[in-house]
Amino acid sequence: MNSEVRSELQELTEARETGMSFIMGRSCMRAKSGSSLIKRIAINFIYEFLMRNSRCPAYAANVPHVSTLEVGMVCQV
């Protein structure tokens, strides 16, 4: 295993040992480097702005910050 995977597993193990933990999924969209300017602006700025402002954050659900673990992926369109 490389060091990045090992550190992620260590974080998950520590979260499990401390008690209850909340794993939150998140995905990000990015335009490919060869995309047109309009597509890059639409995806990289407008879509991300709408995505961040249309979903409620974890603290709105009274989830302690210490108990949250955010996992995600980046999709290139």
Side-chain angles (χ1 to χ4, degrees):
M1 287 191 302
N2 61 21
S3 62
E4 185 176 326
V5 173
R6 187 172 294 143
S7 67
E8 288 180 17
L9 287 174
Q10 180 67 26
E11 288 178 17
L12 286 171
T13 304
E14 289 174 0
R16 186 185 63 197
E17 290 173 355
T18 58
M20 186 184 299
S21 61
F22 300 91
I23 300 175
M24 303 178 66
R26 181 168 184 243
S27 63
C28 297
M29 289 224 172
R30 293 312 225 171
K32 291 182 181 176
S33 60
S35 300
S36 67
L37 179 64
I38 295 171
K39 186 176 182 180
R40 284 186 290 176
I41 289 172
I43 293 174
N44 291 349
F45 298 109
I46 298 172
Y47 180 78
E48 283 292 321
F49 174 79
L50 292 174
M51 191 130 150
R52 288 182 188 192
N53 290 311
S54 65
R55 297 194 177 160
C56 63
Y59 60 82
N62 293 328
V63 175
H65 180 70
V66 176
S67 299
T68 59
L69 179 66
E70 186 174 305
V71 295
M73 64 181 187
V74 177
C75 301
Q76 290 192 344
V77 184

